[in-house]
Amino acid sequence: MIEISCRKYPGRVEFDVLPSATAHLDPAAATEPDPEEPDPAESFADWMTEALRRSGTTREAAAQRLGVSVKTVNRWIGGQTEPRLRELRRIQDQFGDVPLR
């Protein structure tokens, strides 16, 4: 499950996609992992760290490719923040599908 947050500003709208805070409370929402599927990353931070390692990309190069600051990439990898929807699209284009939990 995910939660989508929408903020409306003059001239623009921003969306954030976050894991649902209540997903762990609903036992019906829990599913057994498919043994054929690789284990999903524990968090976006873990996935992003692994994606950079796999591609041999530095944080600085990733920031430049994604059009964000190095500080932003550091916050994603450190788990302090997660990217917005528009940033997720660029991440997917550069590093592959981002698993949503």
Side-chain angles (χ1 to χ4, degrees), residues 51-74:
L52 292 179
R53 187 196 62 73
R54 262 192 332 267
S55 67
T57 304
T58 65
R59 293 176 184 196
E60 293 80 9
Q64 186 175 25
R65 287 169 58 183
L66 297 170
V68 298
S69 69
V70 175
K71 189 174 185 177
T72 296
V73 172
N74 286 335

Side-chain angles (χ1 to χ4, degrees), residues 1-84:
M1 296 182 114
I2 60 171
E3 292 181 6
I4 299 176
S5 167
C6 175
R7 288 186 295 276
K8 185 177 177 186
Y9 298 97
R12 72 175 204 249
V13 177
E14 290 185 0
F15 292 90
D16 290 327
V17 179
L18 306 167
S20 174
T22 59
H24 68 281
L25 299 176
D26 182 7
T31 60
E32 290 296 318
D34 184 349
E36 298 295 317
E37 293 284 322
D39 289 337
E42 290 296 314
S43 66
F44 175 80
D46 294 337
W47 179 87
M48 187 73 187
T49 300
E50 180 61 22
L52 292 179
R53 187 196 62 73
R54 262 192 332 267
S55 67
T57 304
T58 65
R59 293 176 184 196
E60 293 80 9
Q64 186 175 25
R65 287 169 58 183
L66 297 170
V68 298
S69 69
V70 175
K71 189 174 185 177
T72 296
V73 172
N74 286 335
R75 286 180 180 158
W76 294 342
I77 290 174
Q80 291 103 4
T81 62
E82 291 188 354
R84 293 186 174 128

